[in-house]
Amino acid sequence: MRKTSIIILSYNTLSYTQFCIESIRAYTRKNSYEIIVVDNASTDGSLEWLKEQHEIKLIANPENVGFPAGCNQGMKAAAPGNDLLLLNSDTIVTPHWLDNLQQALYSGKDIGAVSCVTNNCSNGQSIAVDYQTVEELQQFATGYNHSDAQKWYSWPTLVGFCFLLKRVVYDKIGGMDERYSPGNYEDDDYSYTIRQAGYRLLLCADTFIHHFGSASFKQALDSEQAKARKERFARILEENEAKFMQKWQVSPDHKVFHGITDVLQPEDAGKHVLLVRCSVGLDLCNLKRKYPQLHLSGVVLNVADKANAVQDFPIRYVPQWENISAAIPARQDIILVLGNVRTIPDSKQVLEKLARRLKPLGKLYYYDDQHSYCEQRNVEDA
């Protein structure tokens, strides 16, 4: 395997950074990595401690340049040929973590980047845990971290708390978009850029590390100016979401899980299931994760969704609801309409058209504004 440059940003998170780096030293194969730390003008003693760690490549910024710009500095400083791993300072890594991720990353030429699961994350990347101490964490991870290709899932985006990227991909696309500074949405944007370059992303549910979660932001929110900083954080999040949407033009629910995994039942495994308004494919990926035997496809009414969707499933674009039948060439066992059905013009007629694309006794599920999935069967051909 190639060596990996582990890039960590530091900003007033001394204790977290110490935990993180010590765990890397303890649980990462010797001579397989280098550590690069970009310190964004910390004032809590982080810089002084980092200067004492002589094997670390340290970049000391005189001001806080933000997360994407700091990551770009670290990636540029990486040794030639190394793969690149962006790792949050508020993580604790675990036995076999990097070896497992590398196995997944090099499982195919079309794999561009991978990430893992954790205890505290969005995007379907968290799992339930019950450990209480660092010792219990490592015991849990020792039993959990066994490389298993059946637990590698294509995913539209990966969260940047742990993000392993092939060097060849970085050489092709460059670094993160610094318009998202100081942070938020840069990892979504980078994920889209990687996939637009022809690569897939894998969520590796066979590998677990601990994530405290936004430590530098939380410290800021706990300070005397908590309210003002919380408002600033919310404003930055809103502004960066707007930048992302303007750049990619995808549907607003591109990051939303619609709760459809609970609608289907184990006996539905192996059936043909169509998702209407599947956006870039997050729900498709999540269904495949739970029910690997499903035959999945999708329909979108936003051309940008089609352009930015995962390539693992056939996803068809239809510009108008009245033409929805033309986008469903084969009859389906199950059709799920995502989002509130009441936002669809002439929804009753649309649902009738969809029902006619079901196999005999096939099922149509749709979501109304009463927050429940309704079922409609095709009984005409039964």
Side-chain angles (χ1 to χ4, degrees):
M1 289 290 182
R2 289 174 177 267
K3 290 187 69 172
T4 303
S5 295
I6 302 173
I7 297 149
I8 301 169
L9 263 65
S10 164
Y11 178 63
N12 290 334
T13 56
L14 175 58
S15 60
Y16 289 109
T17 303
Q18 290 172 329
F19 264 125
C20 179
I21 290 175
E22 292 303 328
S23 70
I24 293 171
R25 290 166 173 163
Y27 297 110
T28 314
R29 189 163 37 86
K30 305 299 182 187
N31 302 316
S32 68
Y33 66 93
E34 66 171 354
I35 299 176
I36 301 170
V37 178
V38 180
D39 185 81
N40 269 332
S42 295
T43 58
D44 67 341
S46 293
L47 185 59
E48 290 74 16
W49 183 82
L50 289 165
K51 287 179 178 178
E52 297 172 354
Q53 314 307 305
H54 300 296
E55 85 282 14
I56 290 175
K57 284 186 180 178
L58 175 61
I59 299 172
N61 287 324
E63 60 183 7
N64 188 346
V65 300
F67 188 80
C71 287
N72 288 344
Q73 287 180 300
M75 289 190 281
K76 287 179 182 178
N82 281 13
D83 289 328
L84 306 168
L85 192 148
L86 305 176
L87 185 67
N88 277 18
S89 62
D90 60 340
T91 57
I92 299 176
V93 304
T94 55
H96 311 299
W97 73 291
L98 184 53
D99 287 341
N100 284 5
L101 291 176
Q102 287 178 319
Q103 287 287 339
L105 186 67
Y106 283 94
S107 63
K109 290 184 178 180
D110 64 336
I111 308 303
V114 300
S115 186
C116 58
V117 295
T118 186
N119 59 297
N120 183 5
C121 189
S122 59
N123 196 44
Q125 290 186 234
S126 62
I127 62 172
V129 297
D130 59 1
Y131 57 78
Q132 300 295 323
T133 66
V134 173
E135 291 74 18
E136 291 176 354
L137 154 65
Q138 297 301 350
Q139 290 172 5
F140 168 81
T142 297
Y144 189 95
N145 288 357
H146 296 282
S147 184
D148 183 354
Q150 298 301 312
K151 297 180 180 178
W152 302 339
Y153 306 104
S154 283
W155 223 246
T157 61
L158 299 174
V159 178
F161 78 96
C162 179
F163 194 107
L164 177 60
L165 176 73
K166 278 179 181 171
R167 164 62 71 162
V168 66
V169 177
Y170 173 74
D171 289 342
K172 184 175 183 178
I173 69 171
M176 289 184 163
D177 189 336
E178 296 184 10
R179 285 179 293 179
Y180 295 98
S181 293
N184 281 313
Y185 275 90
E186 70 284 332
D187 45 4
D188 297 272
D189 181 272
Y190 209 38
S191 295
Y192 273 49
T193 302
I194 292 168
R195 291 197 296 102
Q196 281 291 315
Y199 297 97
R200 295 167 60 219
L201 306 175
L202 291 184
L203 170 57
C204 301
D206 61 349
T207 306
F208 178 91
I209 70 172
H210 180 80
H211 183 215
F212 289 100
S214 302
S216 60
F217 282 114
K218 285 181 178 178
Q219 285 190 359
L221 298 181
D222 289 339
S223 68
E224 294 180 0
Q225 295 83 23
K227 183 177 179 179
R229 291 181 177 178
K230 186 175 182 179
E231 290 174 352
R232 179 175 179 269
F233 177 79
R235 185 175 68 254
I236 291 170
L237 182 63
E238 183 178 350
E239 290 172 353
N240 282 357
E241 181 181 17
K243 292 175 185 176
F244 179 89
M245 294 300 295
Q246 182 178 24
K247 180 174 180 178
W248 297 103
Q249 299 293 311
V250 293
S251 297
D253 62 348
H254 63 100
K255 296 178 69 172
V256 174
F257 290 99
H258 288 89
I260 58 176
T261 56
D262 295 330
V263 174
L264 301 186
Q265 302 300 318
E267 58 266 26
D268 294 323
K271 292 184 177 180
H272 288 79
V273 178
L274 174 78
L275 270 60
V276 178
R277 292 200 291 201
C278 64
S279 188
V280 299
L282 180 59
D283 284 298
L284 288 167
C285 293
N286 203 36
L287 275 178
K288 195 68 172 180
R289 179 179 180 177
K290 185 171 183 179
Y291 300 114
Q293 302 305 314
L294 286 177
H295 302 282
L296 293 165
S297 60
V299 172
V300 295
L301 289 96
N302 177 359
V303 69
D305 287 344
K306 168 65 175 174
N308 292 292
V310 294
Q311 300 299 306
D312 302 78
F313 312 97
I315 297 176
R316 297 177 179 86
Y317 165 67
V318 58
Q320 301 292 337
W321 281 107
E322 55 261 34
N323 300 325
I324 192 72
S325 296
I328 311 174
R331 291 203 172 192
Q332 304 291 316
D333 296 301
I334 298 172
I335 297 176
L336 293 122
V337 183
L338 304 185
N340 190 339
V341 72
R342 296 180 186 273
T343 64
I344 301 174
D346 300 318
S347 60
K348 183 178 179 180
Q349 289 81 358
V350 169
L351 292 175
E352 289 174 352
K353 289 181 180 181
L354 291 173
R356 288 195 288 270
R357 301 309 298 155
L358 291 168
K359 295 178 182 178
L361 296 180
K363 294 179 286 186
L364 170 66
Y365 293 98
Y366 56 91
Y367 185 78
D368 68 10
D369 55 8
Q370 302 302 313
H371 305 291
S372 62
Y373 275 97
C374 304
E375 179 182 324
Q376 180 174 325
R377 289 177 179 265
N378 177 13
V379 297
E380 295 178 4
D381 301 326

